[in-house]
Amino acid sequence: MNEVQVEQVRRFNRTVAERVGVLHDHYLGGARPYGQARLLWQIGDGATHDVRGVRDRLGLDSGYVSRLLRALERDGLVVVEPHPRDRRVRTVRLTEAGRQERALLDDRSDALAASLLAPLNARQRERLTSAMAEVERLLTASTVSLAVLDPDHPDAAHCLRSYAVELGELFDGGFDPANSLLPDPGELRAPHGLFLVARLHGEPVGCAGLKLPSGAPAEIKRLWVCPRARGLGLARRLLAELEERAARHGCDLVRLDTNRALEAATRLYRDSGYTEVPAFNDEPYAHHWFEKRLTPTAR
């Protein structure tokens, strides 16, 4: 990034904040500031929510969320109580008054959106909404975090299970991890390797493993992105992160194999500079084998 890009982001943030009214004490002409209104809207789908999940979704710290919830409780809009099966976990739900205020927020939000579009002609509206969709996608991509986890961590295990289920549906004859060359994901823990998990709003949405065998090329395994997170460039980001980490370990060559049913993955590897090579292992689920030479700069 450069100074021009940073300044553009700042100008965009200022313009949006001014235009949508978040600077006012009473958002959308209601009785409360934006933080309370946004939290009320997030809670308001008729369900009971884990407070931690709501907090992660909004990217807010626990102290601030607690203050917002207390304000909404005082106004009789939400009920905060312990989870019936785990009293360490707090849950939150809207009261009837809360549901009514959320409905009012929806109506006023629709009116605000219409007021933004009204001064524009049809072509400008299409340009604005298309640009907004692109900005939303990119901002969502920027909120994804990557972390190295033990393969037995619940988030890692969730990704590995989801990976196996999806491959079982896609592959001719299904997929059984026990029959692959990586039956034990423990090979993806230090010092033999590592396992990356991607999280979006605190939820695991992707993974990728790196084997680091002594005296042999690094090998990428179990690269997966859940369907709802696809289109964010996450697979490419995971791939690049593993290449960088392989380089840090002194590797100058990285390898991977894939199944012919995974056409998008095969395109990704080719586009990322991988060259198809003869089989270098006996993976029963593989039809294509690739490798990439890490450049001196990357190393």
Side-chain angles (χ1 to χ4, degrees):
M1 70 187 75
N2 56 47
E3 292 182 2
V4 174
Q5 292 173 324
V6 170
E7 179 55 31
Q8 176 59 66
V9 171
R10 293 185 61 186
R11 285 200 306 271
F12 177 83
N13 290 343
R14 290 193 295 269
T15 300
V16 171
E18 294 164 6
R19 195 68 180 90
V20 303
V22 299
L23 302 179
H24 300 292
D25 289 337
H26 303 291
Y27 180 63
L28 294 177
R32 59 197 71 260
Y34 179 80
Q36 293 181 23
R38 182 66 180 86
L39 182 58
L40 184 70
W41 189 91
Q42 186 65 40
I43 297 168
D45 60 2
T48 298
H49 296 273
D50 179 341
V51 170
R52 180 180 300 174
V54 174
R55 185 183 72 213
D56 289 343
R57 175 64 182 82
L58 296 178
L60 301 175
D61 67 73
S62 59
Y64 182 52
V65 169
S66 293
R67 291 193 295 275
L68 293 177
L69 287 174
R70 284 197 296 269
L72 295 177
E73 276 190 296
R74 284 195 301 269
D75 291 343
L77 303 181
V78 301
V79 173
V80 180
E81 55 194 359
H83 193 282
R85 292 189 298 276
D86 186 348
R87 298 189 64 82
R88 297 170 298 177
V89 176
R90 292 191 304 158
T91 64
V92 60
R93 57 181 172 83
L94 294 187
T95 64
E96 178 58 34
R99 287 190 288 274
Q100 292 177 7
E101 183 157 334
R102 186 185 188 276
L104 181 60
L105 277 174
D106 269 339
D107 291 341
R108 290 179 174 176
S109 294
D110 286 345
L112 174 61
S115 74
L116 295 176
L117 296 170
L120 307 177
N121 60 40
R123 183 170 178 273
Q124 289 174 320
R125 292 173 186 172
E126 180 61 34
R127 288 176 58 198
L128 177 60
T129 52
S130 295
M132 285 177 166
E134 178 70 0
V135 169
E136 179 187 15
R137 185 183 70 83
L138 293 173
L139 287 178
T140 300
S142 74
T143 65
V144 176
S145 63
L146 302 183
V148 176
L149 299 181
D150 188 279
D152 289 335
H153 186 284
D155 286 355
H158 167 81
C159 289
L160 288 169
R161 285 194 303 270
S162 301
Y163 167 91
V165 168
E166 183 167 354
L167 295 195
E169 296 170 350
L170 291 174
F171 289 1
D172 293 337
F175 174 76
D176 183 353
N179 293 331
S180 75
L181 289 185
L182 188 66
D184 178 14
E187 293 183 44
L188 301 177
R189 84 167 47 97
H192 307 294
L194 61 91
F195 194 71
L196 276 179
V197 171
R199 293 187 178 106
L200 175 60
H201 305 310
E203 297 294 325
V205 294
C207 66
L210 183 68
K211 291 178 65 176
L212 296 166
S214 178
E219 190 171 348
I220 291 172
K221 304 294 290 184
R222 305 299 192 249
L223 175 58
W224 173 80
V225 176
C226 80
R228 71 182 180 89
R230 290 171 189 170
L232 301 178
L234 184 51
R236 190 177 299 272
R237 180 180 169 190
L238 286 164
L239 189 63
E241 180 71 17
L242 290 185
E243 291 172 5
E244 182 178 337
R245 290 176 179 269
R248 287 185 213 161
H249 280 80
C251 300
D252 61 1
L253 186 69
V254 63
R255 289 174 167 173
L256 56 85
D257 56 67
T258 192
N259 186 281
R260 62 190 170 205
L262 303 178
E263 297 178 359
T266 302
R267 287 195 300 271
L268 169 64
Y269 303 143
R270 296 186 192 278
D271 291 345
S272 299
Y274 284 78
T275 301
E276 189 159 5
V277 295
F280 51 76
N281 62 25
D282 298 322
E283 173 58 62
Y285 294 107
H287 299 102
H288 303 283
W289 289 261
F290 291 92
E291 67 180 27
K292 180 178 181 178
R293 184 71 59 178
L294 298 179
T295 65
T297 300
R299 294 200 300 276

